[in-house]
Amino acid sequence: MHARLRGRGLYVITDGPRPDLLDVVAQALAGGARLVQYRDKTSDGERRLAEARALQALCAGQGVPMLVNDDIELARAAGADGVHLGEDDGDVAAARGALGQQAIIGVSCYDSLERARLLAAAGADYVAFGAFFPSPTKPDAQRASPELLRQSAALGVPRVAIGGITPDNGGSLIDAGADYLAVISAVFGDPDVRGAAERFARLFPSH
């Protein structure tokens, strides 16, 4: 297991672009976020690089890993701690070659235990399943069963749950084996970002 993924907790994913990006991520960190992912689907390369670098510095100051969504080259250019790859975003070997052995490489496995097995064997540092609940970010996402979290315990890598997760329903996923709850709107869509993060952090027994 990657040394920086030995804990458990809240995994926040940004919902950019937004002018207060650094401020809300700082609030999420203050509330107990344990992982941060920079997610921005726009094509503004200059702004995205500047924001990713600024987030990396912010997170490094708190000892929290910062990953980039989908974009191996942006992760490399920003000095990010790693990258999260979806189905069409390149493979684990390419990311490892670009980012190095110490990088955290996470992968979306949707509702597929077989995909998780293959990618864990290929060197992924964590596997993400979901959506577990209806998601405002991806309303048409495939739905996953909590049973996937139980069945994937033998893979030996951290398991991330994503999709429509709230403080009210997240506990059931932790009970099923989720090491991290990945959240976008339930934290960054809340007027009180720090408070929202704290509510998630309290769900984890070790908090």
Side-chain angles (χ1 to χ4, degrees):
M1 184 185 295
H2 196 289
R4 300 191 71 188
L5 295 176
R6 293 190 187 281
R8 305 172 78 206
L10 173 64
Y11 182 173
V12 293
I13 302 174
T14 69
D15 58 344
R18 57 185 295 171
D20 58 348
L21 178 67
L22 289 177
D23 180 56
V24 293
V25 172
Q27 291 179 46
L29 291 169
R34 295 287 182 261
L35 284 173
V36 173
Q37 182 185 133
Y38 176 61
R39 179 180 186 271
D40 186 314
K41 298 291 192 178
T42 68
S43 58
D44 187 343
E46 187 175 341
R47 178 182 52 77
R48 291 171 71 237
L49 178 56
E51 288 181 347
R53 283 175 169 164
L55 277 183
Q56 174 63 29
L58 173 66
C59 293
Q62 299 295 319
V64 171
M66 197 287 285
L67 281 65
V68 169
N69 176 266
D70 292 355
D71 192 328
I72 296 170
E73 178 53 33
L74 177 59
R76 187 197 63 75
D81 294 300
V83 69
H84 180 90
L85 301 174
E87 202 163 19
D88 305 313
D89 304 319
D91 60 26
V92 173
R96 185 70 67 200
L99 302 178
Q101 292 303 310
Q102 297 307 308
I104 298 170
I105 299 172
V107 290
S108 293
C109 298
Y110 311 103
D111 59 350
S112 173
L113 182 60
E114 183 58 26
R115 178 175 165 82
R117 284 196 185 106
L118 290 171
L119 293 175
D125 294 302
Y126 71 76
V127 294
F129 296 107
F132 286 96
F133 306 103
S135 166
T137 304
K138 292 187 175 182
D140 301 321
Q142 294 137 289
R143 295 292 292 276
S145 161
E147 190 60 28
L148 271 172
L149 295 166
R150 299 184 182 94
Q151 293 171 348
S152 56
L155 297 179
V157 296
R159 291 155 289 162
V160 174
I162 192 169
I165 300 172
T166 69
D168 294 326
N169 62 32
S172 64
L173 301 176
I174 296 170
D175 292 342
D179 298 291
Y180 292 92
L181 298 182
V183 177
I184 301 176
S185 55
V187 169
F188 292 123
D190 194 299
D192 178 9
V193 171
R194 178 172 179 165
E198 288 173 343
R199 287 190 290 277
F200 277 103
R202 285 196 292 267
L203 296 177
F204 290 86
S206 59
H207 182 70

